[in-house]
Amino acid sequence: MKILVTGFTPFGGERINPSWEAVRRLPDCIGGSELIKREIPTEFDASGVVLHGLLAELRPDAVICVGQYGGANCIRVERVAVNLRDARIADNAGRQPTDETVVPSGPDAYFATIPTREIVDVLRERDIPARLSYSAGTFVCNNLLYCALHESAQIEPAPRCGFIHVPYLPEQTKDGSAPSMSLELMVKALETAAEVIAGEKER
């Protein structure tokens, strides 16, 4: 099994993005499955283009997109992507869309196709704070999940796609007032998610 795992470039004035810092530290293989790790630009348009190229080139069996959710106090496993771009801040290309669709002809929403509840249950069993989330926002994270699910719906067999949000790293919180999580625990969480997805494929 081949699993594509993506993380984002830093954005919003940050020098690091914990999603990519965690993704790039993942092992190359988990449970007999190959993990392919790629960094995605934090840009509405470019993120979808890059993902399209990766899906065409790699033909993965599953895709785990990972992003930063500043202010979160746990791992958030996303269940829904909506066909909406509505940005509070500009992306790294200076784009700040309002009430714009991700795919003009696409459906209003897609559900993630990875085993979201099982992933959360196993994370909690391993003492990793986690929860199911029903909103990936309307910034580039949601945009990428929607693109992944829309693209996968056109592929046969369709890769299973999902999105995981990670909190800030401790060094990003500056005065320590915002919730954060260690990089080690983030990596463990992503390893666990990959294990669950790989195990489901084997059943």
Side-chain angles (χ1 to χ4, degrees):
M1 184 179 187
K2 191 185 300 182
I3 303 175
L4 171 64
V5 191
T6 70
F8 281 111
T9 56
F11 70 97
E14 296 280 352
R15 291 186 295 177
I16 58 173
N17 189 315
S19 65
W20 176 240
E21 294 305 312
V23 167
R24 71 188 185 93
R25 287 170 172 79
L26 289 170
D28 294 329
C29 291
I30 286 180
S33 293
E34 178 187 5
L35 265 58
I36 303 169
K37 296 156 280 185
R38 295 290 188 271
E39 189 176 26
I40 300 287
T42 306
E43 301 175 20
F44 283 102
D45 297 328
S47 60
V49 171
V50 171
L51 181 68
H52 174 80
L54 291 173
L55 292 176
E57 173 194 352
L58 301 172
R59 300 291 182 185
D61 300 290
V63 181
I64 307 172
C65 303
V66 186
Q68 168 188 295
Y69 194 109
N73 61 0
C74 65
I75 299 295
R76 294 167 56 102
V77 181
E78 302 297 341
R79 301 200 87 177
V80 185
V82 295
N83 194 8
L84 178 65
R85 295 173 168 180
D86 196 33
R88 179 180 55 83
I89 61 172
D91 69 7
N92 286 353
R95 289 260 287 119
Q96 191 175 355
T98 301
D99 294 337
E100 181 179 292
T101 55
V102 180
V103 178
S105 59
D108 291 340
Y110 284 106
F111 285 103
T113 50
I114 61 172
T116 53
R117 188 174 298 278
E118 184 179 354
I119 289 169
V120 169
D121 288 345
V122 176
L123 288 171
R124 289 173 173 172
E125 287 170 7
R126 298 183 181 182
D127 295 323
I128 302 173
R131 57 166 288 209
L132 289 169
S133 170
Y134 296 87
S135 174
T138 52
F139 195 53
V140 183
C141 291
N142 171 79
N143 183 86
L144 186 64
L145 176 56
Y146 189 94
C147 287
L149 291 164
H150 186 74
E151 290 269 350
S152 69
Q154 324 303 318
I155 300 171
E156 186 61 44
R160 308 201 73 177
C161 300
F163 197 101
I164 295 174
H165 267 122
V166 296
Y168 283 137
L169 289 166
E171 55 264 41
Q172 290 180 281
T173 62
K174 299 175 178 64
D175 61 359
S177 60
S180 65
M181 180 177 286
S182 71
L183 183 58
E184 179 183 15
L185 198 57
M186 290 183 193
V187 174
K188 185 179 177 183
L190 298 182
E191 288 177 346
T192 298
E195 286 174 13
V196 172
I197 292 168
E200 187 185 56
K201 180 74 173 180
E202 292 170 2
R203 292 200 292 268

